[in-house]
Amino acid sequence: MSGKVVATLRMAVRMSSLTVLALFLGTSSGFAAEAGRITLNPDSAYPEGPAISGGSLYYTEMGNDRVMRWDGRSNSVVWTKVGCAPTSVSRAGEGRLNILCHSEESVIRISTAGETLKVIDRDEDGLTFRNPNASVNDGKGGVYFSSSGTFGPDAPAGDAVLYLDADDRLRRVAEDIHYANGVALSPDGAVLYVSEHLERRILAYDVAADGTLSGRRLFVALDDLVGPDENRGWEVGPDGLATDREGHLFAAEYGGGRFLAIGTDGKLLANVEVPDQYITGLAFAADESRIFVTAPTTRSIPMTGKVYSIENPLLHQH
């Protein structure tokens, strides 16, 4: 057995079953491994909003108006709709997904076979929602998602978080956020974290039994974790969020080319650099040994990017 094969086997021991498949099919399928990072899709058109459902990874390609699936062997197109500009995937029951259409300003429910099942574009009061962006499932069949509004240096702080419950009742549950972006729930579902992107901070809310939010407070300011930078662009801030089973919060820093692991006390646990600048989303593998990362390379046309599987930086700290 060659030294190269031995090294590959040693690496495979530490990876989830989907990642192991990726390694051994890497040459023929376009996968590449480097320092704990595996490229699952090397040519993705502005990927965002990853989610795990039915043992597969789903993610959007905003630049191609489509939803993709990676099944551990290859990437395939699940669904497409011109003008949607999808930004996030969440689960909607067995064999179904909710897709946020950023430009069309709607939630579209699809089957994993690619059939459009339902379109939701108004809340319970008949109001539209501007530029839906990121989503997270709760444990009751519901979904929280951000309505981000305008992304710009002079944008007002008028954005929101909405809650779509298991009966498809859609309500606004938080407002007056300066570009609401990533959302994540604590493992017990008691706290919702929200990226306030244009303020470079992450907020926390208490979650009531009916899904409503209260007790808005600052969880952490990114500058307190990584330090201020007077040369940093206005667009650099917290994007996609994810929590692990121990309650650690992982935050993608859009424009910063990295994601941060943050303890429940708000202290920085890890700072993981990624080759692409505009990190948008994070999702854990089932065993949490790996993190799936959506990473656009540029904000301009042509919209390019990559999808990675990266070793959990906290894996060897416990």
Side-chain angles (χ1 to χ4, degrees):
M1 186 178 291
S2 70
K4 182 177 180 180
V5 172
V6 170
T8 301
L9 287 172
R10 287 175 178 169
M11 186 182 297
V13 169
R14 304 200 311 267
M15 300 181 181
S16 67
S17 58
L18 291 178
T19 302
V20 171
L21 281 172
L23 271 177
F24 285 95
L25 295 170
T27 302
S28 60
S29 303
F31 297 104
E34 180 183 356
R37 183 178 65 246
I38 299 170
T39 303
L40 305 182
N41 189 338
D43 186 21
S44 185
Y46 209 90
E48 292 206 56
I52 303 295
S53 182
S56 292
L57 170 69
Y58 293 86
Y59 59 94
T60 68
E61 286 191 334
M62 188 178 184
N64 276 338
D65 283 320
R66 66 190 187 185
V67 174
M68 303 290 292
R69 174 172 51 228
W70 180 69
D71 61 4
R73 298 175 63 92
S74 62
N75 294 281
S76 59
V77 178
V78 175
W79 176 87
T80 185
K81 188 175 191 296
V82 175
C84 168
T87 54
S88 189
V89 180
S90 60
R91 297 179 298 278
E94 186 175 355
R96 300 184 300 171
L97 304 168
N98 287 319
I99 310 303
L100 299 185
C101 286
H102 192 73
S103 294
E104 192 179 83
E105 299 186 334
S106 63
V107 181
I108 297 186
R109 183 162 303 139
I110 68 171
S111 71
T112 53
E115 179 186 4
T116 297
L117 304 174
K118 188 170 186 175
V119 177
I120 301 171
D121 60 6
R122 297 286 192 279
D123 66 15
E124 64 176 359
D125 296 319
L127 300 175
T128 59
F129 41 89
R130 296 188 59 207
N131 305 118
N133 202 335
S135 59
V136 64
N137 289 98
D138 68 2
K140 302 177 181 179
V143 178
Y144 288 94
F145 69 87
S146 57
S147 171
S148 294
T150 303
F151 190 55
D154 300 318
D159 309 313
V161 174
L162 290 90
Y163 180 60
L164 180 66
D165 68 19
D167 296 320
D168 284 345
R169 179 189 179 194
L170 182 59
R171 293 169 283 163
R172 276 172 167 75
V173 290
E175 296 185 286
D176 298 321
I177 303 169
H178 203 186
Y179 203 83
N181 205 332
V183 287
L185 282 161
S186 60
D188 60 3
V191 177
L192 181 75
Y193 299 101
V194 181
S195 294
E196 190 172 29
H197 190 132
L198 293 178
E199 293 293 336
R200 283 187 55 76
R201 63 187 185 181
I202 299 171
L203 306 175
Y205 295 83
D206 297 319
V207 180
D210 64 355
T212 55
L213 304 179
S214 64
R216 170 176 168 155
R217 57 196 178 275
L218 174 67
F219 175 64
V220 70
L222 261 60
D223 283 358
D224 291 341
L225 298 179
V226 300
D229 180 357
E230 62 182 14
N231 298 315
R232 184 186 292 121
W234 65 267
E235 76 281 4
V236 182
D239 199 320
L241 303 176
T243 53
D244 66 12
R245 284 189 284 266
E246 296 185 29
H248 305 127
L249 180 68
F250 288 65
E253 187 177 11
Y254 183 86
R258 61 187 170 190
F259 65 87
L260 309 173
I262 306 165
T264 55
D265 57 1
K267 294 182 179 179
L268 183 65
L269 301 177
N271 181 336
V272 180
E273 294 186 358
V274 180
D276 309 273
Q277 188 173 359
Y278 298 99
I279 314 305
T280 55
L282 310 167
F284 284 98
D287 64 2
E288 297 191 347
S289 65
R290 311 287 296 180
I291 303 171
F292 299 109
V293 180
T294 50
T297 303
T298 176
R299 295 175 57 215
S300 57
I301 297 173
M303 300 178 107
T304 59
K306 297 180 177 67
V307 179
Y308 296 109
S309 170
I310 296 178
E311 186 176 56
N312 187 338
L314 304 186
L315 187 65
H316 305 297
Q317 295 185 19
H318 304 289

